[in-house]
Amino acid sequence: LDRVNYKEENNLKDLVVIEPSAGDGAFVIPIIERLVQSSKRYDFDFQNALKNIIAFEIDSELTNSLETRINNFLVERGFNKVLHIVKNEDFLLSECSTADLYIGNPPYVRHEKIPLNQKREYKKRFRTFNKRADLFIPFYEKCLRNLSSNGLVSFICSNRWLKSQYGYSLRELIKLNFNL
């Protein structure tokens, strides 16, 4: 969050932030905390700005657990419960709006471990998902394609795509349209 300048000393009111694979909330909880602090500093309605934070999680148990953690976090700070920050959906197959910041730790799933029906659908939707690409590759493509004009994608990920054959299409997409 610091590297992409999502800091409480900045006015975070209008930034749309999406975490495409939220897991247990390693990013979304600190994102919300920084938004709380920014709202105090810049005197904006936190609960209204919270609509700009969206997390996706495909695992329903993790989704429910994370929603509970978020709601407890908010109640402890004097806010009303806010439900459905976390969407229990496959981010890659979801409808997703433009965001200023995509941040997270996309799933690492080897090509042979991805169920065949999902693999077929991902290949239809993402031109970077080819050869023996790992599942994190289409996460990059979807985020980059839905990025606002001055937006940022910041992922914790393996560097294998920088050298592997399956990373070629993603490298080309970035080279032709984006900046590292």
Side-chain angles (χ1 to χ4, degrees):
L1 294 171
D2 288 346
R3 284 185 177 210
V4 295
N5 216 21
Y6 195 86
K7 299 177 181 179
E8 62 190 52
E9 59 264 19
N10 297 329
N11 187 341
L12 305 175
K13 175 185 170 194
D14 296 318
L15 286 177
V16 176
V17 181
I18 296 178
E19 185 178 358
S21 183
D24 67 358
F27 288 100
V28 75
I29 299 288
I31 287 167
I32 294 169
E33 176 63 35
R34 289 175 185 211
L35 186 63
V36 168
Q37 297 307 317
S38 178
S39 73
K40 291 176 183 176
R41 182 175 288 219
Y42 290 94
D43 194 32
F44 61 81
D45 181 347
F46 163 76
Q47 291 207 242
N48 189 48
L50 192 58
K51 73 181 183 313
N52 293 328
I53 309 299
I54 303 165
F56 287 85
E57 178 50 53
I58 197 168
D59 182 298
S60 59
E61 286 185 34
L62 280 174
T63 299
N64 293 335
S65 173
L66 183 52
E67 282 284 357
T68 299
R69 285 186 62 214
I70 290 169
N71 284 319
N72 290 341
F73 175 88
L74 293 171
V75 168
E76 288 169 5
R77 283 153 184 80
F79 296 103
N80 296 324
K81 288 186 175 185
V82 177
L83 297 176
H84 308 301
I85 291 172
V86 185
K87 295 184 177 196
N88 182 214
E89 298 176 31
D90 181 339
F91 172 74
L92 295 176
L93 303 179
S94 70
E95 292 300 318
C96 186
S97 61
T98 300
D100 300 303
L101 176 60
Y102 285 93
I103 191 158
N105 186 0
Y108 311 115
V109 180
R110 293 178 60 152
H111 193 79
E112 59 272 7
K113 299 281 186 183
I114 302 168
L116 187 58
N117 61 333
Q118 284 178 297
K119 211 181 300 192
R120 285 183 184 136
E121 189 60 34
Y122 297 156
K123 285 183 185 228
K124 284 184 206 172
R125 293 177 185 232
F126 304 103
R127 69 177 187 81
T128 59
F129 189 65
N130 55 43
K131 311 247 185 282
R132 301 191 47 76
D134 192 291
L135 187 58
F136 72 85
I137 296 291
F139 273 78
Y140 268 104
E141 181 178 341
K142 181 160 185 176
C143 293
L144 289 167
R145 294 207 183 276
N146 288 299
L147 198 58
S148 66
S149 61
N150 291 315
L152 298 167
V153 175
S154 183
F155 283 163
I156 296 172
C157 80
S158 161
N159 66 357
R160 287 179 285 180
W161 66 277
L162 294 170
K163 298 175 184 160
S164 69
Q165 187 178 21
Y166 74 71
Y168 177 80
S169 295
L170 179 59
R171 291 191 304 271
E172 286 298 300
L173 174 70
I174 292 171
K175 181 173 79 173
L176 296 173
N177 301 294
F178 301 96
N179 295 309
L180 289 178

